[in-house]
Amino acid sequence: MAAPNSEADQAKLQIFKDELYDTIREHGSETRVFSQADLKGLGVIPNNDVRILVDVIQMLTNEKLLIGVHLPGGELGWKWRSREDAKKYTSLPDEPTRLVYGEIDQAGQDGVWIRHIKLRINIQDATLKACIKFLESKGFISSMTNVEMPNRKMYIRADLKPSERATGGPWFTDGELDEAFIKVIEGIIFEYIKTRSAYFSRGTVLPQRQPKKGVVTGDARGVKRTATDISNDDATPAPAPATKAAPPPPKGKPMYLPMPAGYKKYPTVNDITEFIHNQKVSTAMLGVADIQALVDVLVFDGLIEPIQVHNRKGYRVVRPTKQDTVSYAKRQQDRESHPELGDIVLGPPPLSSAVTEAPCGKCPVFELCQEGGPVAPSTCVYFQEWLGLKEPAVATANETAPL
Amino acid sequence: MLVTAPLAEFCTLTIDEIYGELPSRIYASLLMRGRSTIQQLAGDTGMNARQLRHGLALLLQHNLLHYHLDAGSPHYFYEANVEHAYNLARTGKILQMVEETHGAAAKDVMQTIILTGLTRVGDLVDAYQNRIDRMNRIKEKLKAEEDPFGNGVESHEVNGEPKPKPTPQSSKSDPLISSIADLNKIIYKLVEAELLIGVHKTSFESPEDLLATIESDIQKTYPGGEVKGNKAKAEYKDKVAEALRKNRSESRSLKRKLEQNGLSAKRRKLFDGAASANVMCINYEKCLVELRNRRLMHYAEEAFGQTTSWVYASLLNLLSKDISRCRDDPITDHYEKDEEKPAPVVVTTSQLLDVLKTSLDLSVGLGQVDADKISVTAAEKIAELPPRKKFFIDVQAEADANASSDDDDEGEDVKPATNGVNGVNGTHVTNGVNGTAKRVDRRTQLRQHLLLLSESTQGFLRHCGAEEWTVDFVPLMAALRQAEIDATIENTVGREGVRLVRMLRAKGKLDEKAIMSVALMRKADMSKKLAEMHKYGFVQTQEVPREAKADVKKSFFLWYFDGTMALERILDVSYKTMIHSLQVLDTLREKDQHVLSLIKRSDVKGQEDDKLRKIHKEKLTQFLKLERMLLGQIQRVDDLVAVLRDY
Ligand code: SF4
């Protein structure tokens, strides 16, 4: 590197430096990487004198106005940094602090784990701590959490917002899943889909099935049963429309009905996003992807299902006729005055499952249970409770036991 | 059917429950050891020859055994027929089904046949003739008085006679069947519906023995008894399948005979001669088809409501006239060429319209929307071929692949007139109840329900041609099995658990981080839920070592859902639940033995109300209540087992 000794040279370099910096800034954002050829192309340095260019770049780098980066292929490239940001560097007291800040700065919105800083710049723990403390007190950096690695101590430039990846998006607050918020939005989305994908009928007259009562008779029951006695007279029999006349229609009650085939207006994720947007329920920006994530959860919960009509992918509520007809808003209100009602559960209860109705399906000692073993059906307390022969224990074991 | 230990135990217990200890011990021994000769059984059970013959005869009479005689061998081999033994638990359901579809008299006949086991047509006719005669005598003699106990006989106490004469069950004063002509008509109906079939010479062969015999017969026709080359092998497979099908159709020879004889002309003579020597038994395969129909109707009701489900039930009824079993047998129903496969059965709109109950109001049960909100082309889409994949898993992925999210103008014609129930242009009418709705003809209304079923994600129905409808049972039942598994999981570990399961099913193997981000659950909650489900056998893990040398501490774990394992686990719990219910029942019975022995006494039987003391009556009522709870529970568990295993 030649040494331009004269003051005039120095002054000239100053001018070139400022001009080059300004021109660079005009040519792209802070993220653009300029190669040497790019810088030459700016035409700031007379005759594109490489020597002068290198000197100017060096000066800018020293002043933290340019950041050197390695381009793929080994060449050097540069990004620019604002004067304000650069000043932060120059205002720092010593080299370690500058290095630490540099690491945090470089990590950008993702933030950086304190151990990574230590590894990269090879610094003593105590020094690192001191630097961090200083930078925090200056308000240059702040700590953050990454939802993916919540146990890591991370730092980020104080003026930056953590990236979506780090925060987990709008469903997280301070690195914690915001369950209350999710519940509210989920409720609104579900209600929206329900009311728009099923038809609300105020009082449909529906034929009703007549449950057959099992008749208690003691007639001629022996010790053993005959095969024909094993019947499901306890279960609700299925009606047989083929042979039985439909009973006279009773007065109907309000209910949701399925939409006819080919219905074109099942709400799409875009519809839902727009609706949520207009509801102004949240200051957070909920994008289509965020809403899609919640909608997916509702699908996995078995509350709604995707349905495609032509090329339009909408969502509809499942089992419409089993849905609660009381509006979500009303149910919320009820809960304000009667908190004992507990959380709103979306959708109807799941299909019943015969094995979980019986005590064995949820039995904590199921694996051990055997006639002749330590636990046996003949002495089973859960069955006694189930049959109503014994009061359930304080906390019913089948509900709390972990198995 | 995979015979697991709990299934075997349940079958043994059921036989014990119905036929007593002796046959059940023989049956248990057959299950344990596999096929056995009578000598082997004697060794295993320690019973004497008389007891064994007695027990075997009873089991055979009730069609609970397979037997086989190897050519040249002096000994019969006996084997447990697990399917039939398990089906004993379904007797009540089957009788109820028969009553509802064919009437009380048909149920009476069916019940008699079930109690007797294998029944000669002639014996059945005789038994009913006796009863009718007796009824007539009583009527004449005691014209004024009512017959208090016409039946007299509790025929379930089969005393091991090889061929007990059937005894009609009904004791009510009003005879369900008052003439042999009636009986003939009913038998004809039941045989025609294939609920009863004729027994033929290979009826008692186990499927394996039958296959082995047929295979060796066909092998013999090849030079040197060897099947060589791919072409020959394919041809061989076809021949075996054909022979099996031919054998299977034997059981329908009774039906064919009846059809030839015809019912109308000489009704009384229907079973004269050779026909009355035919032995009939209950055809569980076909009964299961009917039971499956009811189950499907129940699912359709869950999904879309009653009206649609009733339409569906009628359709299934029509459709299953030509369906003999729920599941095809992979060997018997193998066809080398696709063209030879029997075409799927189809129902037309008109056929269905013809059988629908006139009292069924089709105008209800569906939403009313303006015609311009309906895409007629989408609704009427015809799918000539069954779905290629197990679409219920892919439905989301597929929809993602070819759907734009919010584009809804597909530029189609909107013709309100074709829109049936919903064609009430623009005016919101409450479902055609208040009579202001424009009259929509019944066929259009019917089609609305059919189209709704065809559009379902479960695949209840397929609109397979103009005005033609069919059901693809294989994917439909797979979807419903999945729904049952999910319901069981949800009822066991809650909605968040089933959320994770559905997620893993849709996305495959995932690590916790990925699961967390999709499930929107706290890490701690999620890990706990996964661990809980792992214990129940609902989800599985796979260890992925980070380094070549596996170190558990460093490995990470992928979670996944294995449908087959979950299904087997649930079946296992189901069998055990049924076993435990029976054992609990047995305990109760022992406790109340005193009362129960009282009502067995002949001087008390039938007059419990007068003869029993109050305390005993209360005990009895209580016992019967508990018994009904337990047996009812078994029935419901069986509903689940049927979906998971048989339908
Ligand atoms: S202990 Fe009772 S509830 Fe548990 S498995 Fe045994 S019988 Fe069933």
Side-chain angles (χ1 to χ4, degrees):
Chain A
M1 199 184 290
N5 286 327
S6 69
E7 259 175 47
D9 279 355
Q10 278 299 333
K12 241 200 269 167
L13 282 180
Q14 274 298 335
I15 294 171
F16 287 148
K17 186 198 80 184
D18 289 343
E19 191 164 348
L20 183 67
Y21 180 72
D22 291 340
T23 322
I24 287 174
R25 289 191 59 164
E26 279 168 25
H27 276 83
S29 70
E30 271 174 306
T31 51
R32 173 165 182 184
V33 178
F34 294 85
S35 65
Q36 194 168 340
D38 290 336
L39 296 181
K40 275 188 193 163
L42 297 173
V44 174
I45 313 294
N47 307 324
N48 270 335
D49 184 325
V50 175
R51 222 186 49 221
I52 301 179
L53 181 62
V54 169
D55 286 343
V56 171
I57 291 174
Q58 188 60 48
M59 286 169 75
L60 284 167
T61 320
N62 289 344
E63 289 176 33
K64 306 287 175 196
L65 287 167
L66 281 190
I67 314 159
V69 287
H70 286 283
L71 293 175
E75 228 189 305
L76 261 182
W78 294 270
K79 292 194 287 188
W80 62 267
R81 177 186 278 137
S82 73
R83 285 184 193 281
E84 210 183 321
D85 285 349
K87 218 191 270 160
K88 283 185 189 156
Y89 276 92
T90 44
S91 73
L92 293 176
D94 51 19
E95 192 55 18
T97 321
R98 262 196 293 277
L99 282 172
V100 170
Y101 184 68
E103 285 296 324
I104 295 171
D105 185 18
Q106 226 176 42
Q109 288 186 298
D110 284 338
V112 62
W113 185 20
I114 192 154
R115 258 191 70 199
H116 281 160
I117 304 180
K118 200 182 147 216
L119 284 176
R120 275 199 212 120
I121 58 178
N122 199 7
I123 187 176
Q124 293 274 320
D125 263 346
T127 329
L128 179 58
K129 264 193 195 133
C131 294
I132 295 276
K133 205 168 165 203
F134 175 81
L135 288 167
E136 263 191 306
S137 70
K138 279 278 174 195
F140 282 8
I141 64 169
S142 53
S143 65
M144 64 167 268
T145 28
N146 183 323
V147 286
E148 288 175 11
M149 290 151 289
N151 297 326
R152 292 187 174 181
K153 214 166 165 55
M154 311 266 298
Y155 285 94
I156 186 174
R157 255 169 59 186
D159 55 337
L160 287 183
K161 268 193 18 207
S163 66
E164 284 257 314
R165 217 182 87 209
T167 60
W171 308 123
F172 287 80
T173 304
D174 305 328
E176 281 279 311
L177 192 69
D178 192 342
E179 286 182 326
F181 180 54
I182 292 176
K183 271 224 171 87
V184 171
I185 305 292
E186 232 175 28
I188 296 172
I189 291 179
F190 179 69
E191 185 75 6
Y192 176 78
I193 293 176
K194 180 168 99 182
T195 49
R196 270 163 189 73
S197 67
Y199 177 81
F200 182 68
S201 157
R202 252 166 267 284
T204 311
V205 179
L206 270 190
Q208 208 179 40
R209 87 168 38 164
Q210 268 158 354
K212 232 206 247 166
K213 282 267 155 49
V215 197
V216 190
T217 51
D219 94 285
R221 296 265 165 124
V223 175
K224 295 285 184 184
R225 313 273 302 193
T226 68
T228 52
D229 281 339
I230 304 183
S231 80
N232 51 347
D233 47 3
D234 188 41
T236 349
T243 54
K244 278 184 189 158
K251 196 90 201 107
K253 61 175 198 308
M255 72 192 301
Y256 282 98
L257 295 174
M259 289 297 190
Y263 184 62
K264 291 192 293 189
K265 299 290 178 187
Y266 290 121
T268 63
V269 171
N270 282 346
D271 296 341
I272 300 164
T273 311
E274 202 181 309
F275 172 76
I276 294 289
H277 202 80
N278 294 337
Q279 289 297 99
K280 302 207 177 5
V281 281
S282 157
T283 50
M285 262 310 292
L286 295 174
V288 176
D290 301 320
I291 298 295
Q292 180 75 60
L294 266 199
V295 167
D296 285 347
V297 167
L298 289 171
V299 173
F300 290 137
D301 279 355
L303 295 170
I304 59 174
E305 62 183 5
I307 169 118
Q308 195 172 337
V309 175
H310 277 295
N311 280 329
R312 184 180 201 270
K313 181 185 166 192
Y315 290 88
R316 71 177 176 194
V317 69
V318 300
R319 300 158 71 204
T321 56
K322 311 281 168 184
Q323 299 291 334
D324 200 329
T325 47
V326 180
S327 79
Y328 185 70
K330 173 82 171 56
R331 290 164 78 189
Q332 261 179 331
Q333 273 170 20
D334 289 349
R335 272 158 183 79
E336 268 157 36
S337 43
H338 301 280
E340 72 278 4
L341 289 172
D343 284 349
I344 295 181
V345 177
L346 302 180
L351 295 172
S352 64
S353 170
V355 275
T356 51
E357 279 166 18
C360 302
K362 282 176 153 185
C363 173
V365 289
F366 179 80
E367 304 294 342
L368 305 173
C369 178
Q370 207 181 351
E371 241 6 293
V375 201
S378 53
T379 54
C380 170
V381 281
Y382 307 119
F383 253 110
Q384 304 245 316
E385 282 164 18
W386 186 76
L387 289 166
L389 296 175
K390 204 169 149 250
E391 287 300 304
V394 187
T396 28
N398 9 358
E399 270 164 38
T400 50
L403 184 96
Chain B
M1 195 182 328
L2 179 69
V3 184
T4 57
L7 173 58
E9 190 181 350
F10 177 69
C11 290
T12 311
L13 277 176
T14 308
I15 292 180
D16 178 69
E17 175 84 9
I18 299 169
Y19 303 113
E21 202 202 329
L22 184 84
S24 111
R25 263 174 58 203
I26 297 174
Y27 193 81
S29 164
L30 284 173
L31 275 172
M32 199 126 90
R33 167 195 264 273
R35 45 192 295 162
S36 321
T37 61
I38 198 158
Q39 285 81 358
Q40 285 167 329
L41 276 174
D44 288 345
T45 58
M47 292 181 193
N48 62 35
R50 199 188 58 85
Q51 287 170 316
L52 270 179
R53 270 204 307 277
H54 191 144
L56 282 173
L58 188 130
L59 290 169
L60 284 170
Q61 171 69 30
H62 289 277
N63 209 353
L64 298 169
L65 296 183
H66 295 297
Y67 58 80
H68 178 74
L69 184 66
D70 278 326
S73 155
H75 301 300
Y76 275 97
F77 278 102
Y78 296 96
E79 211 173 322
N81 183 340
V82 177
E83 245 138 279
H84 283 184
Y86 183 88
N87 280 330
L88 288 175
R90 292 184 172 142
T91 306
K93 249 177 249 180
I94 291 171
L95 288 177
Q96 192 184 339
M97 175 272 290
V98 173
E99 180 171 16
E100 282 166 9
T101 43
H102 299 288
K107 176 192 165 193
D108 190 71
V109 173
M110 197 74 167
Q111 188 165 0
T112 307
I113 290 174
I114 287 175
L115 289 170
T116 325
L118 305 174
T119 310
R120 247 168 40 97
V121 176
D123 288 345
L124 188 72
V125 174
D126 287 351
Y128 271 93
Q129 186 65 59
N130 280 343
R131 192 179 123 209
I132 294 164
D133 291 348
R134 194 172 59 217
M135 283 307 232
N136 288 343
R137 274 201 306 276
I138 290 171
K139 256 190 209 154
E140 275 165 29
K141 277 189 194 163
L142 313 162
K143 268 210 171 121
E145 239 179 284
E146 260 196 283
D147 164 29
F149 14 62
N151 67 332
V153 192
E154 264 292 300
S155 61
H156 67 274
E157 306 273 336
V158 186
N159 295 319
E161 305 213 348
K163 294 269 181 269
K165 292 254 172 168
T167 315
Q169 264 281 292
S170 172
S171 62
K172 306 292 166 276
S173 51
D174 224 17
L176 288 164
I177 294 168
S178 52
S179 70
I180 293 302
D182 278 357
L183 176 68
N184 285 348
K185 232 192 278 178
I186 286 164
I187 296 176
Y188 185 89
K189 213 158 66 171
L190 291 174
V191 170
E192 194 193 24
E194 290 179 34
L195 298 176
L196 291 178
I197 43 170
V199 171
H200 56 102
K201 66 175 187 300
T202 56
S203 284
F204 301 100
E205 294 278 333
S206 73
E208 295 78 27
D209 286 333
L210 184 64
L211 179 64
T213 315
I214 283 181
E215 276 182 343
S216 81
D217 283 355
I218 294 179
Q219 266 167 18
K220 275 183 211 143
T221 64
Y222 283 81
E226 257 183 280
V227 188
K228 279 196 200 128
N230 285 340
K231 211 178 144 216
K233 275 187 184 143
E235 184 201 68
Y236 168 73
K237 231 174 145 182
D238 237 10
K239 278 188 182 165
V240 170
E242 212 188 302
L244 283 168
R245 288 197 294 274
K246 187 159 169 274
N247 178 68
R248 190 160 73 182
S249 73
E250 284 283 304
S251 62
R252 253 177 279 157
S253 64
L254 181 63
K255 180 175 173 181
R256 280 192 297 272
K257 241 178 265 172
L258 290 191
E259 276 164 356
Q260 279 162 14
N261 276 7
L263 185 64
S264 52
K266 354 173 217 169
R267 200 169 286 160
R268 271 172 181 283
K269 300 266 168 79
L270 190 60
F271 294 109
D272 276 2
S276 74
N278 276 300
V279 176
M280 296 183 298
C281 67
I282 172 169
N283 179 11
Y284 284 114
E285 279 188 339
K286 182 69 181 202
C287 290
L288 285 187
V289 173
E290 301 279 342
L291 292 178
R292 177 175 72 177
N293 285 351
R294 308 172 146 246
R295 191 72 185 159
L296 282 172
M297 176 186 118
H298 166 81
Y299 284 119
E301 203 230 304
E302 275 294 330
F304 297 120
Q306 276 175 344
T307 311
T308 308
S309 79
W310 288 358
V311 168
Y312 194 46
S314 300
L315 180 134
L316 288 170
N317 240 341
L318 267 186
L319 200 65
S320 57
K321 284 217 168 78
D322 297 318
I323 299 176
S324 298
R325 61 195 57 77
C326 289
R327 293 190 183 185
D328 280 348
D329 180 77
I331 301 174
T332 314
D333 296 292
H334 168 85
Y335 294 85
E336 212 38 56
K337 297 191 198 81
D338 274 355
E339 315 86 83
E340 286 170 8
K341 264 190 199 145
V345 277
V346 160
V347 162
T348 66
T349 315
S350 305
Q351 284 172 332
L352 183 56
L353 198 60
D354 284 348
V355 299
L356 270 194
K357 269 270 148 201
T358 48
S359 53
L360 180 59
D361 183 358
L362 292 177
S363 69
V364 296
L366 266 177
Q368 298 274 327
V369 288
D370 298 347
D372 63 351
K373 294 202 176 112
I374 297 293
S375 157
V376 179
T377 47
E380 296 275 351
K381 200 165 78 190
I382 287 172
E384 280 171 32
L385 297 172
R388 283 155 294 134
K389 299 178 245 164
K390 292 188 204 144
F391 70 94
F392 50 91
I393 288 176
D394 296 332
V395 79
Q396 186 156 19
E398 218 167 82
D400 284 342
N402 51 19
S404 68
S405 192
D406 60 340
D407 160 29
D408 63 355
D409 57 337
E410 58 281 321
E412 58 169 90
D413 57 332
V414 177
K415 286 204 187 94
T418 45
N419 237 326
V421 184
N422 325 299
V424 205
N425 295 323
T427 42
H428 263 245
V429 194
T430 329
N431 258 331
V433 233
N434 52 10
T436 55
K438 221 186 264 177
R439 245 192 84 70
V440 183
D441 74 89
R442 193 161 167 85
R443 171 184 286 267
T444 312
Q445 287 175 342
L446 171 61
R447 294 184 84 262
Q448 290 296 316
H449 292 281
L450 296 176
L451 291 172
L452 181 67
L453 287 161
S454 303
E455 198 194 50
S456 67
T457 46
Q458 297 91 331
F460 280 114
L461 195 61
R462 180 155 56 88
H463 193 186
C464 58
E467 302 303 322
E468 285 185 341
W469 315 86
T470 190
V471 178
D472 302 311
F473 287 101
V474 174
L476 171 60
M477 291 321 298
L480 297 178
R481 263 195 287 289
Q482 188 175 299
E484 284 290 354
I485 292 174
D486 287 355
T488 305
I489 294 178
E490 184 165 359
N491 283 307
T492 314
V493 293
R495 188 173 277 170
E496 291 196 328
V498 79
R499 175 193 301 173
L500 295 172
V501 162
R502 288 206 184 92
M503 231 181 76
L504 291 173
R505 186 190 284 135
K507 300 192 186 266
K509 296 182 178 176
L510 295 179
D511 67 357
E512 294 210 351
K513 214 179 277 175
I515 298 174
M516 197 171 69
S517 68
V518 184
L520 290 181
M521 283 170 74
R522 273 181 218 273
K523 187 163 190 294
D525 296 345
M526 176 202 65
S527 305
K528 216 175 104 198
K529 213 24 75 174
L530 285 171
E532 188 187 351
M533 290 198 290
H534 190 236
K535 270 185 194 146
Y536 280 111
F538 295 152
V539 292
Q540 322 293 330
T541 55
Q542 183 189 345
E543 182 182 343
V544 184
R546 265 183 225 279
E547 294 153 14
K549 227 167 78 207
D551 174 0
V552 182
K553 272 187 220 126
K554 282 191 187 149
S555 307
F556 62 99
F557 289 87
L558 293 180
W559 293 89
Y560 65 99
F561 173 77
D562 182 327
T564 319
M565 283 174 100
L567 185 139
E568 254 141 44
R569 160 81 195 187
I570 294 173
L571 271 183
D572 188 61
V573 177
S574 302
Y575 295 146
K576 287 189 182 149
T577 302
M578 294 196 281
I579 292 170
H580 295 172
S581 303
L582 280 180
Q583 285 167 339
V584 169
L585 181 58
D586 229 35
T587 315
L588 292 175
R589 209 174 264 148
E590 244 161 63
K591 224 181 78 205
D592 287 335
Q593 207 182 17
H594 175 60
V595 183
L596 293 173
S597 62
L598 270 183
I599 59 163
K600 266 190 96 181
R601 274 169 39 186
S602 55
D603 56 332
V604 179
K605 211 173 192 172
Q607 311 172 51
E608 290 88 347
D609 244 4
D610 302 331
K611 300 269 168 93
L612 284 186
R613 276 196 285 153
K614 188 160 169 263
I615 175 163
H616 287 154
K617 243 188 277 175
E618 273 167 13
K619 270 211 168 142
L620 182 64
T621 317
Q622 166 78 351
F623 172 79
L624 291 174
K625 189 186 119 203
L626 300 181
E627 183 185 56
R628 214 174 36 253
M629 271 177 90
L630 288 165
L631 293 179
Q633 188 59 38
I634 293 177
Q635 292 304 303
R636 279 192 297 276
V637 174
D638 169 60
D639 283 340
L640 176 67
V641 170
V643 172
L644 296 183
R645 194 191 65 190
D646 301 334
Y647 292 164

